[in-house]
């Protein structure tokens, strides 16, 4: 079984991704390899942040790995919060703070179009690969649902009447931006 590190300690992401990856892969977290430091995320694009994290793990631990970065891109906010989605309300904020800031900034706006975009950066045998997943939808005016994480309670994907936080993990894993990026990565690894 091929071991590959997913450069995260986020249990939600690990669960989401382990359900998607092909069966011949043993998925390891940062904790599993003894990496307890914060990974650098100092780049100004989602792609570059994902690569920066993967390179950090690959260079320090010499293991095949992948990292992802995700951003919520809101049309009326010219793509914000984008690469700053996790710290939109400030460095020491949490998901609730980020959601409240987003809802406040969009108060009264009729254009609520948005998309979630994930880029997965894979380093396999020293070679780098990028896989993107994107899902369009709109920002709700208030939170709906308690499952999921991040902006899930206020994101309604196109073609659905449930927010990401209202749909179960099984449905979300089939349609989400991360799922789309990871399916591409999994297909690549299966070759």
């Amino acid at each position: 079984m091929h071991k590959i590190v997913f450069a995260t300690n986020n249990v939600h992401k690990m669960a989401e991704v382990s359900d998607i990856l092909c069966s011949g892969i043993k998925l390891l977290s940062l904790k599993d390899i003894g990496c307890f430091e914060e990974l650098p995320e100092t780049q100004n694009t989602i792609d570059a942040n994902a690569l920066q994290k993967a390179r950090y793990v690959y260079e320090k631990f010499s293991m095949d790995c992948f990292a992802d970065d995700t951003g919520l891109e809101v049309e009326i906010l010219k793509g914000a919060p984008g690469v700053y989605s996790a710290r939109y309300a400030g460095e020491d904020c949490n998901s609730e703070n980020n959601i409240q800031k987003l809802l406040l900034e969009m108060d009264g706006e009729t254009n609520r179009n948005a998309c979630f975009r994930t880029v997965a950066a894979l380093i396999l045998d020293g070679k780098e690969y990028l896989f993107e997943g994107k899902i369009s939808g709109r920002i709700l005016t208030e939170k709906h649902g308690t499952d999921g994480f991040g902006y899930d309670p206020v994101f309604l994907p196109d073609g659905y009447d449930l927010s990401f936080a209202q749909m179960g993990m099984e449905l979300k894993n089939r349609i989400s931006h991360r799922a789309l990026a990871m399916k591409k990565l999994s297909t690549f690894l299966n070759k």
Side-chain angles (χ1 to χ4, degrees):
M1 185 169 278
H2 187 81
K3 291 181 181 176
I4 192 162
V5 178
F6 182 13
T8 188
N9 276 320
N10 183 313
V11 293
H12 299 290
K13 284 185 181 184
M14 285 296 289
E16 219 174 293
V17 171
S18 64
D19 287 346
I20 296 166
L21 284 184
C22 52
S23 59
I25 300 289
K26 178 166 176 54
L27 192 61
L28 303 172
S29 69
L30 291 174
K31 182 180 176 185
D32 293 333
I33 63 167
C35 180
F36 299 101
E37 59 264 29
E38 275 298 308
L39 298 185
E41 288 185 83
T42 59
Q43 304 303 306
N44 60 4
T45 67
I46 292 169
D47 307 46
N49 263 351
L51 269 171
Q52 183 181 31
K53 291 187 281 187
R55 287 173 181 156
Y56 181 88
V57 171
Y58 187 80
E59 289 165 9
K60 187 162 182 169
F61 295 91
S62 300
M63 295 183 75
D64 289 337
C65 64
F66 64 93
D68 74 326
D69 200 32
T70 295
L72 174 67
E73 299 172 343
V74 179
E75 192 174 288
I76 196 76
L77 301 178
K78 298 177 176 48
V83 72
Y84 304 106
S85 293
R87 53 192 180 280
Y88 192 44
E91 284 300 322
D92 297 321
C93 66
N94 60 29
S95 294
E96 182 62 28
N97 303 136
N98 289 332
I99 288 171
Q100 292 310 316
K101 179 177 179 178
L102 177 65
L103 293 179
L104 186 64
E105 289 191 355
M106 295 192 66
D107 189 39
E109 296 290 347
T110 54
N111 176 358
R112 303 190 76 82
N113 296 334
C115 73
F116 264 121
R117 191 166 72 88
T118 293
V119 173
L122 169 69
I123 302 180
L124 188 65
D125 299 324
K127 294 183 181 158
E128 297 177 350
Y129 307 90
L130 293 177
F131 306 92
E132 181 183 86
K134 182 177 175 180
I135 185 164
S136 297
R138 63 187 184 91
I139 302 300
L140 298 166
T141 56
E142 60 187 32
K143 292 171 31 177
H144 294 272
T146 56
D147 291 337
F149 57 99
Y151 297 93
D152 286 359
V154 294
F155 184 78
L156 182 72
D158 287 347
Y160 294 86
D161 58 0
L162 299 172
S163 75
F164 268 172
Q166 291 173 301
M167 53 181 63
M169 186 75 101
E170 184 182 332
L171 176 56
K172 183 185 173 193
N173 277 354
R174 284 200 316 262
I175 68 165
S176 79
H177 46 294
R178 183 171 295 106
L180 296 171
M182 294 304 163
K183 284 175 188 170
K184 290 176 183 176
L185 184 146
S186 182
T187 299
F188 177 82
L189 290 173
N190 273 331
K191 289 182 182 176

